[in-house]
Amino acid sequence: MTKSDRVRDGVRADIVSGALVAGAVLDEVALAEQYEVSRTPVREALRSLAADGLLVGGPRRQQVVVDVTQRHRDEITVLRTALEQAAVDEACRRVTDDDLDGLHLMLIRQRRMAEAGDSASFLSEDERFHKALSEVARMPVLSRFLEQLGPFVRLARLDISTDRTHLAGLVVEHEQLVELLEAGESVALRTALAEHIGNTARRG
């Protein structure tokens, strides 16, 4: 990993976790000191994050953390739904016992996290679950698009409700998705997936 990669990954993690809030101005000098690098890898990292859409230009050529508005959230929901639904037919055709075993193990972990009210771990596991679900389709280009959308999904969910009741509801919906995948019910799975993603967006 290069110095610029290290800075980029660190700043991206701070953005999607909410440690760097929308509108925060990124100081090259401060970041260089924080990551113990020169300003050159910092500039490279910020250019990469700007190209990804996580930073926008501010006054005096500064880089500012993007503000995810409700309009952005709605667009993210539409795109996420379309991409995840696009994997359904192939996933139902290609799913293996190993795929299902992996998804069921995720559900077990999610139930424990929901019961404990561990929202941070649950939301990370939720992201891994949806990634694993789409990867059952074995469509690497689609997986790449979802990976690029991932940081925006996390930003859109920063203010999501995280009480035990909400988390338990997500587990129930995830169980339904896995049941439909196992049964090969592609039409029903597409419908349930759209409802699940829409419900998650509305709970935020």
Side-chain angles (χ1 to χ4, degrees), residues 70 73 156-161 166 198-204:
Q70 186 57 50
R73 294 171 195 270
R157 297 180 67 181
L158 283 177
D159 59 353
I160 196 171
S161 171
H166 165 64
N199 289 341
T200 300
R202 285 189 291 274
R203 287 177 184 131

Side-chain angles (χ1 to χ4, degrees), residues 7-16 18-35 39 41-51 53-66:
V7 176
R8 181 200 62 213
D9 290 352
V11 175
R12 179 189 285 123
D14 285 343
I15 292 172
V16 300
L20 284 171
V21 299
V25 176
L26 299 188
D27 186 317
E28 289 184 8
V29 174
L31 288 171
E33 292 176 354
Q34 177 183 345
Y35 289 95
R39 293 178 66 176
V42 171
R43 291 193 190 101
E44 292 172 354
L46 298 186
R47 279 197 296 269
S48 177
L49 293 168
L54 294 176
L55 300 177
V56 295
R60 298 186 299 279
R61 300 176 65 183
Q62 294 171 317
Q63 293 292 334
V64 179
V65 176
V66 68

Side-chain angles (χ1 to χ4, degrees), residues 73-179:
R73 294 171 195 270
D74 293 342
E75 183 178 354
I76 290 164
T77 298
V78 169
L79 290 171
R80 181 186 176 195
T81 301
L83 288 171
E84 293 197 27
Q85 282 185 318
V88 166
D89 285 347
E90 285 299 302
C92 286
R93 188 172 70 85
R94 295 173 180 263
V95 64
T96 66
D97 289 342
D98 285 344
D99 293 327
L100 293 170
D101 287 345
L103 290 167
H104 282 297
L105 284 173
M106 289 183 176
L107 291 175
I108 291 171
R109 290 196 294 268
Q110 288 176 15
R111 288 190 207 103
R112 291 172 179 166
M113 294 169 185
E115 290 169 0
D118 186 353
S119 59
S121 295
F122 185 96
L123 292 177
S124 294
E125 187 67 17
D126 174 78
E127 183 179 332
R128 286 190 288 271
F129 172 83
H130 279 271
K131 183 174 184 288
L133 191 64
S134 65
E135 287 180 344
V136 172
R138 275 76 170 172
M139 298 172 69
V141 176
L142 177 63
S143 294
R144 179 60 178 161
F145 282 138
L146 283 167
E147 182 180 344
Q148 291 172 336
L149 187 63
F152 294 95
V153 173
R154 291 192 289 276
L155 280 174
R157 297 180 67 181
L158 283 177
D159 59 353
I160 196 171
S161 171
T162 54
D163 58 73
R164 284 182 173 83
T165 300
H166 165 64
L167 298 181
L170 289 179
V171 175
V172 171
E173 292 178 10
H174 286 172
E175 289 171 340
Q176 180 188 17
L177 297 178
V178 174
E179 288 172 2

